């Protein structure tokens, strides 16, 4: 870690650490429960379909009451439909929860999302099995509600992080923090596999109880802003790009607030306004349409729709692909799929750090996405060797998961704190909801396309489809890329003139 980065971290207090950890593990628990559903699909499918023993030993009414589908294929199709139902409701909820998060205390919204989702998952996976309630419409309704409740979490945790951590060095901090989804995937796989032998209902029971407990801890322990302890922090991190003119030290999207630096317990803090000025009115929340029209929001949202389609396709289909394409056992495929998340964790952190040093995000994204296209082609031709497959999988995760984490966290925070919001600072949750909501719509539609392409044309064409979608992400950020490259060129020319 560079010395400047160490200096950056030394300026943070225990309040920052608590906010970082609570928001991090909030989303870890949420993604763990989401991953649990993916990991127990085989067991659920077996429970929803009859076996030879059930047909021969059980009376007719047992068939009618305990089984939903005639065969495993129908059950699998319904499980895929539940994935799409969840993602579409999740996308709609993101648009709504972002607006709500800018108008209601973030801690309340976050707690409702965590605890409410945990309760729904308990009813869906545990209570219905204990009571032997099997109903398609009940499952669909519960999963729609689960998507809406889970959508409240991401905009809130990003907004809390944006409140606590300043713009300078945000790429590194948010890149490290955005590993929460990948860590949640790993934790969910571990929790589910550890209790699955007792029945899939216990996998849902464990993750829902842990998630509910996490929501309670968040409610009593999270401070959503430094203002709640009487401070407004603009953290300096020491990761500034080399100064080339008087504006080179400004954040990527500055709101240019008038602030006064003061010392509290030996640490530099900044008050929101001059001490001798009258108190200003609290910032008003920005409207949904206004947020959509902010500079950069629409291009990054569309780029994220293409990128999240690819990222979530790996999330939903990778274990199945490894087992189906290479003939590996399901447990081995689950363990090997973790390397994609490992690559995403490293990619988000490293690329965020590089973007801080450069002072620009779009060039880092464009280069990584271009390399991702090559990584996808390489992985599609991976030999039947687990070591080589793991290495190629981690590389693919680095170049796809890294940009995905950057857009959903650091870049969303940049967009929600840009200069165009000078009259209204309460837009971070709304902007985050728009970006992630648009991405989720792309991911939801993509799951059907992946299954359709695979059934008609095979897995190789699925990877070519991923390459096209990754290229689409580059196309959407191209105007922003050109703008930032021109700004870098002007800064370089200004530096040469000074020398």
């Amino acid at each position: 870690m560079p010395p400047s980065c160490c200096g950056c971290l030394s300026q943070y207090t225990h309040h920052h650490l608590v906010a970082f950890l609570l928001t991090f593990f909030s989303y870890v628990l949420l993604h763990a429960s989401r991953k649990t559903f993916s990991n127990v699909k085989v067991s659920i499918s077996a429970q929803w379909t009859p076996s030879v023993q059930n047909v021969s030993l059980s009376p007719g009414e047992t068939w009618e009451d305990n089984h939903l589908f005639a065969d495993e294929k129908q059950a699998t199709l319904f499980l895929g439909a539940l994935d799409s139902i969840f993602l579409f409701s999740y996308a709609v909820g993101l648009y709504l929860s972002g607006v709500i998060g800018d108008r209601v205390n973030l801690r309340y919204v976050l707690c409702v999302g965590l605890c409410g989702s945990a309760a729904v998952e308990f009813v869906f996976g545990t209570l219905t099995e204990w009571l032997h309630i099997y109903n398609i419409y009940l499952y669909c309704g519960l999963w729609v509600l689960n998507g809406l409740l889970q959508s409240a979490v991401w905009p809130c945790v990003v907004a809390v992080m944006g409140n606590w951590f300043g713009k300078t060095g945000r790429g590194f901090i948010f890149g490290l923090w955005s590993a929460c989804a990948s860590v949640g995937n790993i934790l969910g796989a571990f929790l589910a596999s550890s209790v699955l032998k007792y029945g899939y209902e216990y996998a849902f029971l464990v993750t829902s109880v842990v998630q509910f407990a996490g929501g309670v801890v968040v409610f009593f322990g999270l401070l959503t802003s430094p203002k709640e302890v009487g401070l407004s922090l603009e953290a300096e991190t020491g990761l500034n790009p080399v100064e080339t003119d008087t504006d080179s030290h400004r954040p990527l999207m500055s709101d240019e607030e008038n602030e006064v630096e003061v010392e509290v317990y030996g640490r530099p803090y900044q008050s929101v306004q001059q001490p001798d000025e009258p108190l200003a009115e609290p910032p008003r929340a920005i409207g949904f349409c206004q947020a959509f029209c902010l500079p950069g929001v629409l291009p990054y949202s569309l780029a994220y729709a293409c990128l999240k389609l690819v990222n979530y396709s790996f999330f939903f289909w990778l274990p199945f692909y490894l087992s189906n394409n290479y003939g590996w056992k399901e447990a081995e495929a689950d363990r090997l799929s973790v390397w994609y998340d490992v690559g995403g964790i490293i990619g988000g952190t490293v690329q965020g750090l590089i973007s801080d040093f450069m002072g620009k995000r779009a060039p880092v994204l464009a280069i990584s996405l271009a390399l991702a296209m090559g990584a996808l082609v390489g992985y599609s031709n991976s030999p039947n060797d687990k070591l080589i497959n793991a290495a190629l999988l981690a590389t693919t995760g680095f170049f796809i998961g890294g940009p995905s984490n950057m857009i959903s966290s650091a870049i969303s925070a940049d967009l929600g704190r840009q200069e165009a919001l000078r009259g209204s600072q309460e837009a971070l949750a709304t902007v985050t909801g728009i970006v992630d909501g648009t991405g989720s719509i792309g991911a939801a539609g993509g799951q059907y396309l992946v299954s359709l392409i695979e059934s008609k044309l095979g897995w190789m064409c699925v990877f070519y489809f991923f390459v096209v979608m990754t290229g689409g992400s580059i196309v959407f950020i191209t105007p922003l890329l050109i703008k930032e490259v021109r700004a870098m060129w002007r800064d370089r020319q200004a530096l040469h003139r000074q020398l």
Side-chain angles (χ1 to χ4, degrees), residues 10-81:
S10 67
Q11 298 189 30
Y12 294 135
T13 68
H14 71 280
H15 291 301
H16 295 83
L17 179 61
V18 171
F20 184 100
L21 292 177
L22 284 179
T23 53
F24 182 90
F25 283 105
S26 294
Y27 206 69
V28 165
L29 297 178
L30 196 77
H31 240 264
S33 66
R34 198 179 299 176
K35 184 66 173 177
T36 298
F37 179 68
S38 300
N39 289 341
V40 301
K41 282 182 176 179
V42 174
S43 299
I44 294 178
S45 177
Q47 183 64 25
W48 287 352
T49 55
S51 63
V52 175
Q53 291 81 1
N54 286 339
V55 173
S56 60
L57 298 178
S58 300
E61 59 268 23
T62 303
W63 158 265
E64 295 293 339
D65 295 340
N66 291 0
H67 299 288
L68 293 174
F69 306 102
D71 53 44
E72 184 180 348
K73 183 177 181 180
Q74 293 182 13
T76 302
L77 289 174
F78 180 67
L79 289 172

Side-chain angles (χ1 to χ4, degrees), residues 143-387:
W143 230 224
V144 168
L145 181 59
N146 188 36
L148 293 174
L149 288 168
Q150 287 204 15
S151 68
V153 177
W154 184 252
C156 291
V157 292
V158 172
V160 171
M161 285 291 294
N163 290 338
W164 275 103
F165 293 90
K167 302 172 186 65
T168 308
R170 177 177 283 157
F172 170 72
I173 296 295
F174 274 73
L176 184 64
W177 175 83
S178 63
C180 54
S182 298
V183 173
N185 294 340
I186 297 171
L187 177 63
F190 170 76
L191 291 177
S193 61
S194 63
V195 298
L196 191 56
K197 59 184 177 182
Y198 303 108
Y200 76 85
E201 64 271 24
Y202 290 98
F204 280 103
L205 175 63
V206 170
T207 54
S208 61
V209 168
V210 173
Q211 182 178 317
F212 190 92
V216 174
V217 172
V218 165
F219 182 80
F220 289 103
L222 180 64
L223 296 174
T224 61
S225 170
K227 295 178 183 178
E228 294 188 10
V229 289
L231 300 169
S232 179
L233 172 64
E234 187 69 29
E236 298 295 336
T237 62
L239 295 177
N240 299 333
V242 177
E243 294 193 9
T244 56
D245 54 31
T246 58
D247 292 332
S248 62
H249 67 283
R250 290 165 56 189
L252 296 179
M253 294 181 182
S254 174
D255 48 34
E256 297 186 355
E257 295 173 342
N258 292 324
E259 298 174 336
V260 175
E261 184 174 290
V262 296
E263 284 198 4
V264 179
Y265 301 113
R267 297 189 182 278
Y269 287 86
Q270 294 177 340
S271 59
V272 177
Q273 50 192 309
Q274 303 287 353
D276 55 350
E277 290 181 354
L279 291 175
E281 294 183 4
R284 295 170 299 175
I286 194 172
F288 180 85
C289 293
Q290 291 175 289
F292 224 129
C293 295
L294 288 172
V297 171
L298 183 59
Y300 276 121
S301 297
L302 295 175
Y304 192 50
C306 296
L307 189 56
K308 193 169 184 177
L309 183 154
V310 179
N311 200 36
Y312 261 58
S313 295
F314 273 89
F315 175 81
F316 284 117
W317 291 98
L318 183 56
F320 178 82
Y321 166 75
L322 293 173
S323 180
N324 179 266
N325 195 59
Y326 297 103
W328 297 335
K329 294 181 180 179
E330 187 178 13
E332 295 175 341
D334 287 340
R335 287 194 296 268
L336 193 64
S337 67
V338 169
W339 286 104
Y340 179 82
D341 293 310
V342 172
I345 293 172
I346 300 173
T349 304
V350 172
Q351 293 172 35
L353 183 61
I354 294 174
S355 71
D356 283 336
F357 277 113
M358 293 181 61
K360 307 294 179 185
R361 310 278 193 222
V364 179
L365 283 180
I367 294 174
S368 180
L369 291 173
L371 293 174
M373 297 172 70
L376 285 168
V377 174
Y379 183 71
S380 66
N381 293 281
S382 173
N384 193 346
D385 182 277
K386 294 178 182 177
L387 182 61

